[in-house]
Structure formats: C-alpha cells, structure tokens
C-alpha cells in the first residue's frame, strides 16, 4: 500500500488518469470543505513512492474532479463557489477556462466517455449542466429541483446521463428526446421503496459491462443496483454492511459484478452484486439478490470520500482519499476474503 499526505487539505475526490497508469489527481479542501481554499494535486506513482508532480491552489473548496477524455493534460474540477475550472497540467498557476453558472456548490463533475468533447456537472442549486471546453457558457441546463449530489454519463451512450439527489430519486435524461416540459427527463426512478423511508442519495455509477445497470447509495448505508429497463421492479441487488453513509461508488472496469464503495464509516469495501450467481429470477418472479462483501480496507482514520479504479495493468489496483489528509493506493485483491 502506498500513501501520500495532502497535508492541510482534506480529500474529496480522486481520479486515475485515463491515459497514464502512474498519474492520479486528487481534489481537496481546507478545513474539511466548510470554509477556505482548495487544492488540486497531480500525483505520480514512482519506484520511490508517490510524488506531487504539481498542484494548483483555488479560492474555494474542491469537491470533485474528472479527467478530459480527449486531452491527456486537462481535467476539470467542481468548486464550492459554484464554479467549474479546467486546468492544463502542462501550464502553471491558473486554469485555462472557468465557468460560473451554478448558484451553489458544485458537488460532481463527469466527462463523457463516448462524446469526448462534453462533460456534465451537478450542484446543490438543483440543476445538472452540460458543458464543452470550447464554449464560455453551458450547452444545456437540466433541472432536478433539489440538491443534486452526483451526475454521470452512461459509458455506453453519448446522449444519456443520470443524476441522484436529496429527494431519493434516480433521474435519467436522454438528450435525443425532443425538448419539452420534461426537459429531456426519460425516467425518474424511486430509489427507496417500502419499508425503507426516503433518504438522500449521494453517489451512483453505471456498470461498465451491463449497459442498463446502475448502482446507487447514500445516507441509508445500503447500496442498491437497478435495471433501468424495469423501473417498477425495484432493486436488482441490495448490498448491506456499511455502518454510515456511503459517499462514493465505482464499478470495476475489469469485472461486471464487482464494485468498490467508500463510506463515512472510514472503510472502503469491495462487493460482488450477486449477478454472477444467476439471473435472479424465481418461479414467483424477480428476486432481490443479496450481494456479498468480498473484503474491506480499514486504513483510513476519517471519512472516506473518494475511490477510483486504475484502468491499466493488473486488475485490482485502486486509490482512495479521505478527510484524514491521506491518499492511499492499494490492491483490492489483497483484501478479498478478509
């Protein structure tokens, strides 16, 4: 396990570069993100450990980060002052582009994996916005009318994106649909059903192999997977075990049934969603699969806020960050079965 201290700054988001297996970006905030500056770290994995190749200081907290899918040196960050900033790590000090449209904290940003000139953001102001680096203003605004913690593009389509929010719904937007009173809203799926009361959804992620499967988690500590083709069916699987809210989810880029979670209970956990055991059907109809915890990584000493998989090399390397001012790089396979 490798470690880097983001001294004086608490981690909020971590992302491996999609171009280099040895480069990691970390979005951080001073004073736990409540007040003060932010810092974007660009870290390199070397034979001598993790080194800071560069960092950029910002006037407000940074809550999320996403690498460009078309430019190896560029990445966008989400800020507490409602702005989005595009940095080029080949340049010094200042962003190459900045956008200020959100009225409140921007809590997520995600680059389109298919249409690589587009990214999206979501904010506490109740909107999801779509951007392109070459335009000074957003391309489109999609209202959710509630605090929206996470937005993400489908990795299988250039025009489908999703969001989860404080109202306990998973929203699916299809930009191919004609604009109307629905504002491209194609699906509004309730995450919590009886006997579970609604609670805030903080994170979600699209499965990289099963194009209609989305995992969602949040304040109620449970991870649920849904098939968007059958919104009335309820969850495909429920993964229980975290003791506090789940802050971040990431499906494996290598295995279709494995995902990572990061939680306020100071652990990262790796799960199998149960789909590899069968199709989940019974003679009485679809059954909720009970996923299995394959292992946990308990080395963080504060809230774990970010986790991401490495796309390259041996299957299983990942990075996590948290409020303990530490970035950890570790092998998921080493904790399986503990």
């Amino acid at each position: 396990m490798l470690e880097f201290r983001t001294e004086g700054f608490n981690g909020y988001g971590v992302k491996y570069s999609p171009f280099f297996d040895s480069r990691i970006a970390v979005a951080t905030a001073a004073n736990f993100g409540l007040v003060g500056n932010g810092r974007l770290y660009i870290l390199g994995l070397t034979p001598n450990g993790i080194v800071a190749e560069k960092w950029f200081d910002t006037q407000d907290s940074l809550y999320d980060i996403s690498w460009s899918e078309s430019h190896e040196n560029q990445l966008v960050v989400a800020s507490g002052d409602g702005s989005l900033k595009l940095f080029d790590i080949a340049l010094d000090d200042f962003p190459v582009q900045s956008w200020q449209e959100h009225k409140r904290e921007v809590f997520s940003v995600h680059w389109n994996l298919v249409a690589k000139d587009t990214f999206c953001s979501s904010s506490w102001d109740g909107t999801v916005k779509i951007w392109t680096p070459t335009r000074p203003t957003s391309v489109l605004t999609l209202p959710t009318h509630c605090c929206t913690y996470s937005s993400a593009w489908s990795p299988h389509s250039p025009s489908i994106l999703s969001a989860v929010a404080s109202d306990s719904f998973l929203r699916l937007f299809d930009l191919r649909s004609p604009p109307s009173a629905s504002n491209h809203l194609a699906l509004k799926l309730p995450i919590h059903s009886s006997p579970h009361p609604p609670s805030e959804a903080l994170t979600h992620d699209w499965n990289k192999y099963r194009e209609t499967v989305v995992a969602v988690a949040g304040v109620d500590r449970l991870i649920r997977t849904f098939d968007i083709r059958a919104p009335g069916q309820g969850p495909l699987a429920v993964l229980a075990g975290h003791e506090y809210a789940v802050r971040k989810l990431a499906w494996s880029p290598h295995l279709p049934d494995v995902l990572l979670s990061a939680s306020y209970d100071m652990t990262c956990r790796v799960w199998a969603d149960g789909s590899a055991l069968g199709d989940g059907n019974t003679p009485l109809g679809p059954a909720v699969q009970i996923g299995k915890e394959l292992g946990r990584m308990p080395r963080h000493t504060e809230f774990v806020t970010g986790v991401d998989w490495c796309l390259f090399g041996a299957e299983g390397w990942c990075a996590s960050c948290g409020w303990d001012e530490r970035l950890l790089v570790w092998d998921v396979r080493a904790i399986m079965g503990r």
Side-chain angles (χ1 to χ4, degrees):
M1 182 176 293
L2 301 175
E3 177 177 333
F4 180 84
R5 285 295 304 274
T6 58
E7 190 169 352
F9 290 86
N10 310 103
Y12 264 93
V14 58
K15 280 290 181 182
Y16 271 94
S17 166
F19 295 98
F20 303 104
D21 61 356
S22 60
R23 182 170 288 166
I24 298 174
V26 187
T28 67
N31 305 306
F32 304 99
L34 300 177
V35 64
N37 299 340
R39 179 173 288 178
L40 167 63
Y41 287 91
I42 309 298
L43 306 178
L45 305 180
T46 75
N48 298 319
I50 304 175
V51 299
E53 297 179 347
K54 183 167 285 192
W55 61 81
F56 299 92
D57 287 327
T58 58
Q59 291 185 340
D60 212 313
S61 305
L62 299 182
Y63 292 136
D64 199 19
I65 190 169
S66 187
W67 286 94
S68 168
E69 292 290 330
S70 60
H71 194 305
E72 65 187 32
N73 289 328
Q74 292 186 351
L75 67 172
V76 64
V77 293
S79 180
D81 62 3
S83 70
L84 292 153
K85 293 177 170 58
L86 182 72
F87 287 94
D88 189 315
I89 65 174
L91 305 175
D92 293 326
D93 298 330
F94 302 109
V96 294
Q97 179 67 285
S98 182
W99 299 270
Q100 183 83 52
E101 288 189 23
H102 283 296
K103 301 297 189 291
R104 290 198 62 191
E105 292 87 339
V106 186
F107 220 57
S108 81
V109 63
H110 190 258
W111 212 283
N112 194 319
L113 301 178
V114 183
K116 298 178 184 292
D117 60 345
T118 309
F119 61 94
C120 67
S121 62
S122 69
S123 168
W124 293 6
D125 66 5
T127 64
V128 174
K129 289 180 180 285
I130 298 171
W131 314 81
T132 183
T134 56
R135 284 185 50 155
T137 58
S138 61
V139 177
L140 184 65
T141 298
L142 304 169
T144 63
H145 307 293
C146 59
C147 182
T148 308
Y149 291 108
S150 174
S151 60
W153 294 96
S154 165
H156 311 282
S157 168
S159 55
I160 294 177
L161 71 156
S162 54
V164 296
S166 60
D167 66 352
S168 182
F169 281 93
L170 167 66
R171 288 172 172 82
L172 190 74
F173 299 95
D174 189 342
L175 305 185
R176 297 168 298 187
S177 64
S180 64
S182 65
N183 291 293
H184 302 285
L185 183 65
L187 178 65
K188 187 178 179 183
L189 188 153
I191 297 166
H192 301 86
S193 56
S194 181
H196 302 286
S199 67
E200 293 188 313
L202 302 179
T203 178
H204 75 301
D205 194 36
W206 288 81
N207 190 284
K208 307 305 185 289
Y209 293 89
R210 293 174 288 156
E211 63 183 44
T212 61
V213 175
V214 181
V216 183
V219 170
D220 74 348
R221 304 170 293 174
L222 298 176
I223 302 167
R224 296 173 175 85
T225 65
F226 293 92
D227 189 329
I228 59 174
R229 295 171 301 181
Q233 177 180 310
L236 293 175
V238 176
L239 314 177
H242 277 298
E243 298 167 25
Y244 291 102
V246 181
R247 179 63 173 76
K248 190 69 175 179
L249 292 176
W251 282 103
S252 169
H254 309 294
L255 299 169
D257 63 328
V258 173
L259 72 160
L260 270 174
S261 59
S263 168
Y264 289 160
D265 66 10
M266 300 185 286
T267 67
C268 293
R269 307 195 188 199
V270 57
W271 309 82
D273 71 352
S275 60
L277 301 177
D279 62 8
N281 290 322
T282 72
L284 299 177
V288 176
Q289 296 161 340
I290 304 300
K292 179 182 179 183
E293 181 183 325
L294 302 178
R296 69 184 68 179
M297 195 283 291
R299 294 282 295 274
H300 282 286
T301 57
E302 257 291 357
F303 293 169
V304 191
T305 51
V307 68
D308 192 38
W309 296 86
C310 180
L311 299 174
F312 305 100
E315 299 174 4
W317 282 96
C318 71
S320 58
C321 67
W323 278 15
D324 56 2
E325 303 180 3
R326 296 159 73 214
L327 167 92
L328 300 179
V329 174
W330 43 285
D331 189 350
V332 171
R333 297 166 298 179
I335 67 165
M336 285 187 178
R338 282 189 182 178

